[in-house]
Short mmCIF file of all heavy atoms in Angstrom, two decimals:
data_model
loop_
_atom_site.label_atom_id
_atom_site.label_comp_id
_atom_site.label_asym_id
_atom_site.label_seq_id
_atom_site.Cartn_x
_atom_site.Cartn_y
_atom_site.Cartn_z
N MET C 165 0.83 -1.18 0.00
CA MET C 165 0.00 0.00 0.00
C MET C 165 0.87 1.25 0.00
O MET C 165 1.96 1.26 0.52
CB MET C 165 -0.90 0.03 1.24
CG MET C 165 -1.93 -1.03 1.25
SD MET C 165 -3.44 -0.35 1.89
CE MET C 165 -4.20 -1.83 2.44
N ILE C 166 0.33 2.26 -0.60
CA ILE C 166 1.00 3.55 -0.59
C ILE C 166 0.56 4.26 0.69
O ILE C 166 -0.61 4.26 1.04
CB ILE C 166 0.61 4.37 -1.83
CG1 ILE C 166 1.05 3.64 -3.10
CG2 ILE C 166 1.22 5.76 -1.77
CD1 ILE C 166 0.60 4.29 -4.38
N LYS C 167 1.51 4.84 1.38
CA LYS C 167 1.22 5.47 2.67
C LYS C 167 0.09 6.49 2.54
O LYS C 167 0.11 7.36 1.67
CB LYS C 167 2.47 6.15 3.20
CG LYS C 167 2.31 6.69 4.60
CD LYS C 167 3.61 7.27 5.11
CE LYS C 167 3.42 7.81 6.51
NZ LYS C 167 4.62 8.37 7.05
N GLY C 168 -0.92 6.35 3.39
CA GLY C 168 -2.04 7.27 3.40
C GLY C 168 -3.17 6.91 2.46
O GLY C 168 -4.13 7.64 2.34
N HIS C 169 -3.07 5.77 1.78
CA HIS C 169 -4.11 5.35 0.85
C HIS C 169 -4.67 3.99 1.27
O HIS C 169 -3.94 3.16 1.82
CB HIS C 169 -3.56 5.26 -0.57
CG HIS C 169 -3.17 6.58 -1.12
ND1 HIS C 169 -4.07 7.44 -1.69
CD2 HIS C 169 -1.98 7.22 -1.16
CE1 HIS C 169 -3.47 8.54 -2.07
NE2 HIS C 169 -2.18 8.45 -1.76
N CYS C 170 -5.95 3.79 0.99
CA CYS C 170 -6.64 2.55 1.40
C CYS C 170 -6.49 1.42 0.40
O CYS C 170 -6.89 0.30 0.68
CB CYS C 170 -8.13 2.83 1.61
SG CYS C 170 -8.44 4.02 2.92
N PHE C 171 -5.95 1.71 -0.77
CA PHE C 171 -5.85 0.72 -1.82
C PHE C 171 -4.39 0.37 -2.08
O PHE C 171 -3.50 1.21 -1.94
CB PHE C 171 -6.47 1.25 -3.11
CG PHE C 171 -7.97 1.39 -3.04
CD1 PHE C 171 -8.55 2.56 -2.64
CD2 PHE C 171 -8.79 0.32 -3.38
CE1 PHE C 171 -9.93 2.70 -2.56
CE2 PHE C 171 -10.17 0.43 -3.31
CZ PHE C 171 -10.74 1.62 -2.90
N PRO C 172 -4.14 -0.87 -2.53
CA PRO C 172 -2.77 -1.25 -2.87
C PRO C 172 -2.25 -0.46 -4.08
O PRO C 172 -3.02 0.04 -4.91
CB PRO C 172 -2.90 -2.74 -3.24
CG PRO C 172 -4.21 -3.18 -2.73
CD PRO C 172 -5.08 -1.98 -2.65
N LYS C 173 -0.96 -0.39 -4.16
CA LYS C 173 -0.29 0.35 -5.24
C LYS C 173 -0.73 -0.17 -6.61
O LYS C 173 -0.95 0.63 -7.53
CB LYS C 173 1.22 0.20 -5.08
CG LYS C 173 2.03 0.89 -6.13
CD LYS C 173 3.51 0.66 -5.88
CE LYS C 173 4.37 1.26 -6.96
NZ LYS C 173 5.79 1.01 -6.73
N SER C 174 -0.90 -1.47 -6.76
CA SER C 174 -1.26 -2.04 -8.06
C SER C 174 -2.62 -1.56 -8.54
O SER C 174 -2.82 -1.33 -9.74
CB SER C 174 -1.24 -3.57 -7.99
OG SER C 174 -2.17 -4.03 -7.02
N ILE C 175 -3.57 -1.37 -7.63
CA ILE C 175 -4.90 -0.88 -7.99
C ILE C 175 -4.82 0.57 -8.44
O ILE C 175 -5.41 0.96 -9.45
CB ILE C 175 -5.87 -1.01 -6.80
CG1 ILE C 175 -6.03 -2.47 -6.38
CG2 ILE C 175 -7.20 -0.36 -7.10
CD1 ILE C 175 -6.64 -3.36 -7.42
N ILE C 176 -4.08 1.38 -7.72
CA ILE C 176 -3.95 2.80 -8.05
C ILE C 176 -3.26 2.97 -9.41
O ILE C 176 -3.73 3.72 -10.27
CB ILE C 176 -3.18 3.55 -6.94
CG1 ILE C 176 -3.99 3.52 -5.65
CG2 ILE C 176 -2.86 4.98 -7.37
CD1 ILE C 176 -3.26 4.04 -4.43
N VAL C 177 -2.19 2.25 -9.62
CA VAL C 177 -1.46 2.35 -10.89
C VAL C 177 -2.33 1.88 -12.05
O VAL C 177 -2.33 2.49 -13.12
CB VAL C 177 -0.14 1.54 -10.82
CG1 VAL C 177 0.50 1.43 -12.19
CG2 VAL C 177 0.82 2.19 -9.83
N GLN C 178 -3.11 0.83 -11.84
CA GLN C 178 -3.98 0.33 -12.90
C GLN C 178 -5.04 1.38 -13.29
O GLN C 178 -5.28 1.61 -14.47
CB GLN C 178 -4.67 -0.95 -12.47
CG GLN C 178 -5.50 -1.59 -13.56
CD GLN C 178 -6.11 -2.90 -13.13
OE1 GLN C 178 -6.48 -3.07 -11.98
NE2 GLN C 178 -6.20 -3.82 -14.05
N ALA C 179 -5.64 2.03 -12.31
CA ALA C 179 -6.65 3.05 -12.59
C ALA C 179 -6.05 4.23 -13.35
O ALA C 179 -6.64 4.72 -14.31
CB ALA C 179 -7.29 3.51 -11.29
N VAL C 180 -4.87 4.67 -12.92
CA VAL C 180 -4.20 5.78 -13.60
C VAL C 180 -3.80 5.38 -15.02
O VAL C 180 -3.95 6.15 -15.97
CB VAL C 180 -2.97 6.25 -12.79
CG1 VAL C 180 -2.17 7.29 -13.54
CG2 VAL C 180 -3.41 6.81 -11.43
N TYR C 181 -3.36 4.15 -15.18
CA TYR C 181 -3.00 3.63 -16.50
C TYR C 181 -4.21 3.64 -17.43
O TYR C 181 -4.09 4.07 -18.60
CB TYR C 181 -2.45 2.21 -16.36
CG TYR C 181 -2.20 1.51 -17.67
CD1 TYR C 181 -1.07 1.81 -18.43
CD2 TYR C 181 -3.08 0.56 -18.17
CE1 TYR C 181 -0.82 1.17 -19.64
CE2 TYR C 181 -2.84 -0.08 -19.37
CZ TYR C 181 -1.72 0.22 -20.10
OH TYR C 181 -1.48 -0.41 -21.30
N PHE C 182 -5.36 3.19 -16.97
CA PHE C 182 -6.58 3.19 -17.79
C PHE C 182 -6.90 4.59 -18.29
O PHE C 182 -7.32 4.77 -19.43
CB PHE C 182 -7.77 2.65 -17.02
CG PHE C 182 -7.81 1.16 -16.86
CD1 PHE C 182 -8.43 0.60 -15.76
CD2 PHE C 182 -7.24 0.32 -17.79
CE1 PHE C 182 -8.48 -0.77 -15.60
CE2 PHE C 182 -7.28 -1.05 -17.64
CZ PHE C 182 -7.91 -1.61 -16.54
N LYS C 183 -6.72 5.58 -17.45
CA LYS C 183 -7.04 6.96 -17.82
C LYS C 183 -6.17 7.45 -18.97
O LYS C 183 -6.65 8.03 -19.94
CB LYS C 183 -6.90 7.90 -16.60
CG LYS C 183 -7.17 9.34 -16.90
CD LYS C 183 -8.60 9.57 -17.35
CE LYS C 183 -8.85 11.03 -17.68
NZ LYS C 183 -10.10 11.19 -18.39
N PHE C 184 -4.88 7.21 -18.87
CA PHE C 184 -3.98 7.80 -19.85
C PHE C 184 -3.70 6.91 -21.05
O PHE C 184 -3.44 7.41 -22.13
CB PHE C 184 -2.69 8.25 -19.18
CG PHE C 184 -2.94 9.49 -18.38
CD1 PHE C 184 -3.18 9.41 -17.03
CD2 PHE C 184 -2.99 10.73 -18.99
CE1 PHE C 184 -3.45 10.54 -16.29
CE2 PHE C 184 -3.27 11.87 -18.27
CZ PHE C 184 -3.50 11.78 -16.91
N ARG C 185 -3.80 5.63 -20.90
CA ARG C 185 -3.55 4.74 -22.04
C ARG C 185 -4.75 4.69 -22.97
O ARG C 185 -4.61 4.69 -24.19
CB ARG C 185 -3.20 3.33 -21.54
CG ARG C 185 -3.06 2.29 -22.63
CD ARG C 185 -1.90 2.65 -23.58
NE ARG C 185 -1.71 1.63 -24.56
CZ ARG C 185 -2.21 1.67 -25.79
NH1 ARG C 185 -2.95 2.69 -26.18
NH2 ARG C 185 -1.99 0.70 -26.65
N PHE C 186 -5.95 4.65 -22.40
CA PHE C 186 -7.15 4.46 -23.20
C PHE C 186 -8.05 5.70 -23.23
O PHE C 186 -9.05 5.70 -23.96
CB PHE C 186 -7.95 3.26 -22.68
CG PHE C 186 -7.16 1.99 -22.71
CD1 PHE C 186 -6.72 1.41 -21.53
CD2 PHE C 186 -6.82 1.39 -23.91
CE1 PHE C 186 -5.99 0.24 -21.55
CE2 PHE C 186 -6.07 0.23 -23.93
CZ PHE C 186 -5.65 -0.35 -22.76
N GLY C 187 -7.73 6.74 -22.47
CA GLY C 187 -8.51 7.96 -22.50
C GLY C 187 -9.94 7.79 -22.00
O GLY C 187 -10.85 8.47 -22.46
N LEU C 188 -10.13 6.87 -21.07
CA LEU C 188 -11.46 6.61 -20.53
C LEU C 188 -11.88 7.71 -19.55
O LEU C 188 -11.03 8.37 -18.95
CB LEU C 188 -11.47 5.26 -19.81
CG LEU C 188 -11.10 4.04 -20.65
CD1 LEU C 188 -10.98 2.82 -19.75
CD2 LEU C 188 -12.12 3.81 -21.73
N SER C 189 -13.17 7.87 -19.38
CA SER C 189 -13.66 8.81 -18.37
C SER C 189 -13.48 8.18 -16.99
O SER C 189 -13.31 6.96 -16.86
CB SER C 189 -15.13 9.14 -18.61
OG SER C 189 -15.94 8.03 -18.28
N TYR C 190 -13.58 9.00 -15.98
CA TYR C 190 -13.43 8.50 -14.61
C TYR C 190 -14.57 7.54 -14.27
O TYR C 190 -14.35 6.55 -13.57
CB TYR C 190 -13.37 9.66 -13.62
CG TYR C 190 -12.15 10.52 -13.83
CD1 TYR C 190 -12.27 11.83 -14.27
CD2 TYR C 190 -10.87 10.02 -13.61
CE1 TYR C 190 -11.14 12.62 -14.47
CE2 TYR C 190 -9.74 10.80 -13.81
CZ TYR C 190 -9.89 12.10 -14.24
OH TYR C 190 -8.77 12.86 -14.44
N CYS C 191 -15.76 7.80 -14.78
CA CYS C 191 -16.90 6.90 -14.53
C CYS C 191 -16.70 5.55 -15.21
O CYS C 191 -17.05 4.51 -14.66
CB CYS C 191 -18.20 7.55 -14.99
SG CYS C 191 -18.69 8.96 -14.00
N GLU C 192 -16.13 5.56 -16.41
CA GLU C 192 -15.84 4.30 -17.11
C GLU C 192 -14.79 3.49 -16.36
O GLU C 192 -14.89 2.26 -16.26
CB GLU C 192 -15.38 4.58 -18.53
CG GLU C 192 -16.47 5.12 -19.43
CD GLU C 192 -15.95 5.60 -20.77
OE1 GLU C 192 -14.79 6.07 -20.85
OE2 GLU C 192 -16.72 5.53 -21.73
N ILE C 193 -13.80 4.18 -15.83
CA ILE C 193 -12.77 3.48 -15.04
C ILE C 193 -13.39 2.92 -13.77
O ILE C 193 -13.08 1.79 -13.37
CB ILE C 193 -11.60 4.43 -14.72
CG1 ILE C 193 -10.92 4.87 -16.02
CG2 ILE C 193 -10.59 3.75 -13.80
CD1 ILE C 193 -9.92 5.99 -15.85
N GLU C 194 -14.28 3.66 -13.15
CA GLU C 194 -14.98 3.17 -11.95
C GLU C 194 -15.72 1.88 -12.27
O GLU C 194 -15.67 0.91 -11.50
CB GLU C 194 -15.96 4.23 -11.46
CG GLU C 194 -16.77 3.81 -10.26
CD GLU C 194 -17.79 4.85 -9.84
OE1 GLU C 194 -18.06 5.81 -10.59
OE2 GLU C 194 -18.33 4.69 -8.74
N GLU C 195 -16.39 1.81 -13.42
CA GLU C 195 -17.10 0.61 -13.84
C GLU C 195 -16.15 -0.55 -14.08
O GLU C 195 -16.43 -1.69 -13.70
CB GLU C 195 -17.92 0.89 -15.09
CG GLU C 195 -19.10 1.81 -14.86
CD GLU C 195 -19.84 2.15 -16.14
OE1 GLU C 195 -19.62 1.49 -17.18
OE2 GLU C 195 -20.64 3.10 -16.10
N LEU C 196 -15.02 -0.28 -14.75
CA LEU C 196 -14.04 -1.33 -15.00
C LEU C 196 -13.47 -1.89 -13.70
O LEU C 196 -13.28 -3.11 -13.56
CB LEU C 196 -12.89 -0.81 -15.86
CG LEU C 196 -13.15 -0.69 -17.35
CD1 LEU C 196 -11.97 0.00 -18.03
CD2 LEU C 196 -13.38 -2.05 -17.95
N MET C 197 -13.20 -1.02 -12.76
CA MET C 197 -12.67 -1.47 -11.48
C MET C 197 -13.72 -2.30 -10.73
O MET C 197 -13.38 -3.29 -10.08
CB MET C 197 -12.21 -0.28 -10.64
CG MET C 197 -11.11 0.56 -11.29
SD MET C 197 -9.66 -0.37 -11.75
CE MET C 197 -8.80 -0.38 -10.20
N ALA C 198 -14.99 -1.91 -10.83
CA ALA C 198 -16.06 -2.67 -10.18
C ALA C 198 -16.17 -4.07 -10.78
O ALA C 198 -16.39 -5.05 -10.05
CB ALA C 198 -17.39 -1.93 -10.31
N ILE C 199 -15.99 -4.18 -12.09
CA ILE C 199 -16.00 -5.50 -12.75
C ILE C 199 -14.88 -6.37 -12.18
O ILE C 199 -15.04 -7.58 -12.02
CB ILE C 199 -15.86 -5.34 -14.28
CG1 ILE C 199 -17.13 -4.73 -14.85
CG2 ILE C 199 -15.55 -6.67 -14.95
CD1 ILE C 199 -17.02 -4.29 -16.30
N ARG C 200 -13.77 -5.75 -11.84
CA ARG C 200 -12.63 -6.48 -11.28
C ARG C 200 -12.74 -6.69 -9.77
O ARG C 200 -11.84 -7.20 -9.14
CB ARG C 200 -11.34 -5.74 -11.61
CG ARG C 200 -10.99 -5.82 -13.07
CD ARG C 200 -9.91 -4.83 -13.46
NE ARG C 200 -9.39 -5.08 -14.78
CZ ARG C 200 -10.03 -4.83 -15.91
NH1 ARG C 200 -11.23 -4.31 -15.88
NH2 ARG C 200 -9.49 -5.07 -17.07
N GLY C 201 -13.86 -6.23 -9.19
CA GLY C 201 -14.10 -6.45 -7.77
C GLY C 201 -13.57 -5.36 -6.86
O GLY C 201 -13.49 -5.56 -5.65
N VAL C 202 -13.21 -4.21 -7.42
CA VAL C 202 -12.68 -3.11 -6.63
C VAL C 202 -13.71 -2.00 -6.60
O VAL C 202 -14.04 -1.43 -7.64
CB VAL C 202 -11.35 -2.58 -7.23
CG1 VAL C 202 -10.83 -1.42 -6.42
CG2 VAL C 202 -10.32 -3.70 -7.32
N LYS C 203 -14.23 -1.70 -5.43
CA LYS C 203 -15.22 -0.62 -5.29
C LYS C 203 -14.47 0.67 -4.97
O LYS C 203 -13.93 0.82 -3.89
CB LYS C 203 -16.20 -0.95 -4.19
CG LYS C 203 -17.24 0.11 -3.96
CD LYS C 203 -18.60 -0.49 -3.76
CE LYS C 203 -19.63 0.57 -3.42
NZ LYS C 203 -19.99 1.38 -4.55
N VAL C 204 -14.45 1.56 -5.95
CA VAL C 204 -13.76 2.84 -5.79
C VAL C 204 -14.57 3.90 -6.53
O VAL C 204 -15.11 3.66 -7.60
CB VAL C 204 -12.30 2.77 -6.31
CG1 VAL C 204 -12.24 2.44 -7.77
CG2 VAL C 204 -11.55 4.05 -6.01
N ASP C 205 -14.69 5.07 -5.94
CA ASP C 205 -15.46 6.16 -6.51
C ASP C 205 -14.65 6.87 -7.60
O ASP C 205 -13.42 6.95 -7.52
CB ASP C 205 -15.81 7.15 -5.38
CG ASP C 205 -16.75 8.22 -5.85
OD1 ASP C 205 -17.86 7.88 -6.31
OD2 ASP C 205 -16.38 9.41 -5.75
N TYR C 206 -15.37 7.41 -8.58
CA TYR C 206 -14.68 8.09 -9.67
C TYR C 206 -13.90 9.32 -9.20
O TYR C 206 -12.87 9.67 -9.76
CB TYR C 206 -15.64 8.46 -10.80
CG TYR C 206 -16.60 9.59 -10.47
CD1 TYR C 206 -16.26 10.91 -10.76
CD2 TYR C 206 -17.82 9.34 -9.87
CE1 TYR C 206 -17.11 11.94 -10.45
CE2 TYR C 206 -18.69 10.36 -9.56
CZ TYR C 206 -18.33 11.66 -9.86
OH TYR C 206 -19.19 12.68 -9.54
N ALA C 207 -14.40 9.98 -8.15
CA ALA C 207 -13.69 11.14 -7.61
C ALA C 207 -12.34 10.73 -7.01
O ALA C 207 -11.36 11.47 -7.10
CB ALA C 207 -14.54 11.86 -6.59
N THR C 208 -12.30 9.57 -6.40
CA THR C 208 -11.05 9.04 -5.85
C THR C 208 -10.06 8.78 -6.98
O THR C 208 -8.87 9.11 -6.87
CB THR C 208 -11.30 7.76 -5.06
OG1 THR C 208 -12.23 8.05 -4.01
CG2 THR C 208 -10.02 7.19 -4.48
N ILE C 209 -10.53 8.21 -8.07
CA ILE C 209 -9.67 7.94 -9.23
C ILE C 209 -9.13 9.26 -9.77
O ILE C 209 -7.95 9.36 -10.11
CB ILE C 209 -10.45 7.17 -10.31
CG1 ILE C 209 -10.86 5.79 -9.77
CG2 ILE C 209 -9.62 7.03 -11.58
CD1 ILE C 209 -11.86 5.05 -10.63
N GLN C 210 -9.96 10.28 -9.83
CA GLN C 210 -9.52 11.58 -10.31
C GLN C 210 -8.41 12.15 -9.43
O GLN C 210 -7.41 12.67 -9.92
CB GLN C 210 -10.70 12.55 -10.36
CG GLN C 210 -10.35 13.90 -10.93
CD GLN C 210 -11.54 14.84 -10.93
OE1 GLN C 210 -12.41 14.76 -10.07
NE2 GLN C 210 -11.57 15.73 -11.91
N ARG C 211 -8.56 12.02 -8.12
CA ARG C 211 -7.52 12.50 -7.20
C ARG C 211 -6.22 11.73 -7.40
O ARG C 211 -5.13 12.32 -7.36
CB ARG C 211 -8.00 12.39 -5.75
CG ARG C 211 -9.00 13.45 -5.37
CD ARG C 211 -9.24 13.49 -3.88
NE ARG C 211 -9.76 12.24 -3.34
CZ ARG C 211 -11.07 11.95 -3.24
NH1 ARG C 211 -11.97 12.80 -3.64
NH2 ARG C 211 -11.45 10.79 -2.72
N TRP C 212 -6.32 10.42 -7.62
CA TRP C 212 -5.12 9.62 -7.88
C TRP C 212 -4.40 10.10 -9.14
O TRP C 212 -3.18 10.21 -9.15
CB TRP C 212 -5.48 8.15 -8.06
CG TRP C 212 -5.94 7.43 -6.84
CD1 TRP C 212 -5.82 7.83 -5.54
CD2 TRP C 212 -6.60 6.17 -6.81
NE1 TRP C 212 -6.37 6.89 -4.71
CE2 TRP C 212 -6.86 5.85 -5.46
CE3 TRP C 212 -7.02 5.27 -7.79
CZ2 TRP C 212 -7.49 4.69 -5.08
CZ3 TRP C 212 -7.65 4.12 -7.40
CH2 TRP C 212 -7.88 3.82 -6.06
N VAL C 213 -5.18 10.37 -10.18
CA VAL C 213 -4.59 10.83 -11.44
C VAL C 213 -3.83 12.14 -11.22
O VAL C 213 -2.68 12.28 -11.64
CB VAL C 213 -5.67 10.97 -12.53
CG1 VAL C 213 -5.12 11.70 -13.75
CG2 VAL C 213 -6.20 9.59 -12.93
N PHE C 214 -4.47 13.09 -10.58
CA PHE C 214 -3.81 14.38 -10.34
C PHE C 214 -2.59 14.24 -9.45
O PHE C 214 -1.61 14.96 -9.61
CB PHE C 214 -4.79 15.37 -9.71
CG PHE C 214 -5.87 15.83 -10.65
CD1 PHE C 214 -7.15 16.07 -10.17
CD2 PHE C 214 -5.64 16.02 -11.99
CE1 PHE C 214 -8.16 16.50 -11.02
CE2 PHE C 214 -6.63 16.44 -12.86
CZ PHE C 214 -7.89 16.68 -12.37
N LYS C 215 -2.63 13.31 -8.50
CA LYS C 215 -1.52 13.17 -7.56
C LYS C 215 -0.36 12.38 -8.12
O LYS C 215 0.80 12.73 -7.91
CB LYS C 215 -2.04 12.49 -6.28
CG LYS C 215 -0.98 12.35 -5.22
CD LYS C 215 -1.55 11.81 -3.93
CE LYS C 215 -0.49 11.75 -2.84
NZ LYS C 215 -1.05 11.31 -1.58
N PHE C 216 -0.65 11.29 -8.86
CA PHE C 216 0.42 10.36 -9.23
C PHE C 216 0.95 10.51 -10.64
O PHE C 216 2.00 9.97 -10.94
CB PHE C 216 -0.05 8.92 -9.01
CG PHE C 216 -0.24 8.60 -7.55
CD1 PHE C 216 -1.52 8.37 -7.04
CD2 PHE C 216 0.83 8.56 -6.69
CE1 PHE C 216 -1.70 8.08 -5.70
CE2 PHE C 216 0.65 8.29 -5.34
CZ PHE C 216 -0.62 8.04 -4.85
N ILE C 217 0.27 11.24 -11.51
CA ILE C 217 0.79 11.36 -12.86
C ILE C 217 2.13 12.08 -12.92
O ILE C 217 2.99 11.69 -13.71
CB ILE C 217 -0.26 11.97 -13.83
CG1 ILE C 217 0.07 11.56 -15.27
CG2 ILE C 217 -0.32 13.46 -13.72
CD1 ILE C 217 0.12 10.10 -15.52
N PRO C 218 2.39 13.11 -12.10
CA PRO C 218 3.74 13.70 -12.14
C PRO C 218 4.83 12.69 -11.75
O PRO C 218 5.93 12.73 -12.29
CB PRO C 218 3.67 14.84 -11.13
CG PRO C 218 2.23 15.18 -11.02
CD PRO C 218 1.51 13.87 -11.23
N LEU C 219 4.51 11.79 -10.84
CA LEU C 219 5.48 10.77 -10.44
C LEU C 219 5.72 9.76 -11.57
O LEU C 219 6.84 9.29 -11.75
CB LEU C 219 5.00 10.04 -9.19
CG LEU C 219 4.80 10.92 -7.96
CD1 LEU C 219 4.18 10.10 -6.83
CD2 LEU C 219 6.10 11.54 -7.52
N LEU C 220 4.68 9.43 -12.31
CA LEU C 220 4.81 8.46 -13.39
C LEU C 220 5.48 9.06 -14.62
O LEU C 220 6.05 8.33 -15.42
CB LEU C 220 3.44 7.89 -13.76
CG LEU C 220 2.75 7.07 -12.67
CD1 LEU C 220 1.36 6.67 -13.13
CD2 LEU C 220 3.57 5.85 -12.32
N ASP C 221 5.40 10.37 -14.78
CA ASP C 221 6.06 11.03 -15.92
C ASP C 221 7.58 10.92 -15.83
O ASP C 221 8.25 10.92 -16.85
CB ASP C 221 5.67 12.51 -15.98
CG ASP C 221 4.36 12.72 -16.71
OD1 ASP C 221 3.92 11.81 -17.42
OD2 ASP C 221 3.78 13.81 -16.56
N LYS C 222 8.09 10.82 -14.62
CA LYS C 222 9.54 10.71 -14.45
C LYS C 222 9.97 9.37 -14.92
O LYS C 222 10.85 9.00 -15.47
CB LYS C 222 9.91 10.89 -12.98
CG LYS C 222 9.67 12.27 -12.48
CD LYS C 222 10.03 12.38 -11.03
CE LYS C 222 9.73 13.79 -10.51
NZ LYS C 222 10.10 13.94 -9.13
#
């Protein structure tokens, strides 16, 4: 887990990857994660994207 987050690193990275690789909306990513058994709100995914994309750009 990433410190201060309720989800494992792999879940967060996967959600951020879906956003930038496939250009999906946050609601579409929320649905995909639900299919995989992960209940996460689209607003949470949006916060992850804003927070972690600068780290992934490096």
Side-chain angles (χ1 to χ4, degrees):
M165 292 219 203
I166 299 174
K167 187 176 180 180
H169 293 277
C170 298
F171 290 92
K173 179 181 177 181
S174 60
I175 298 297
I176 295 171
V177 170
Q178 185 177 35
V180 173
Y181 173 78
F182 283 151
K183 178 63 181 167
F184 287 97
R185 174 63 177 96
F186 301 109
L188 301 172
S189 72
Y190 296 113
C191 292
E192 291 171 329
I193 297 170
E194 178 183 13
E195 291 176 13
L196 281 174
M197 300 305 276
I199 290 169
R200 289 167 169 73
V202 179
K203 179 137 175 73
V204 61
D205 187 59
Y206 72 91
T208 302
I209 296 168
Q210 184 181 31
R211 284 192 300 270
W212 290 345
V213 169
F214 291 144
K215 182 174 184 176
F216 293 112
I217 203 58
L219 299 174
L220 295 175
D221 276 343
K222 293 179 182 182

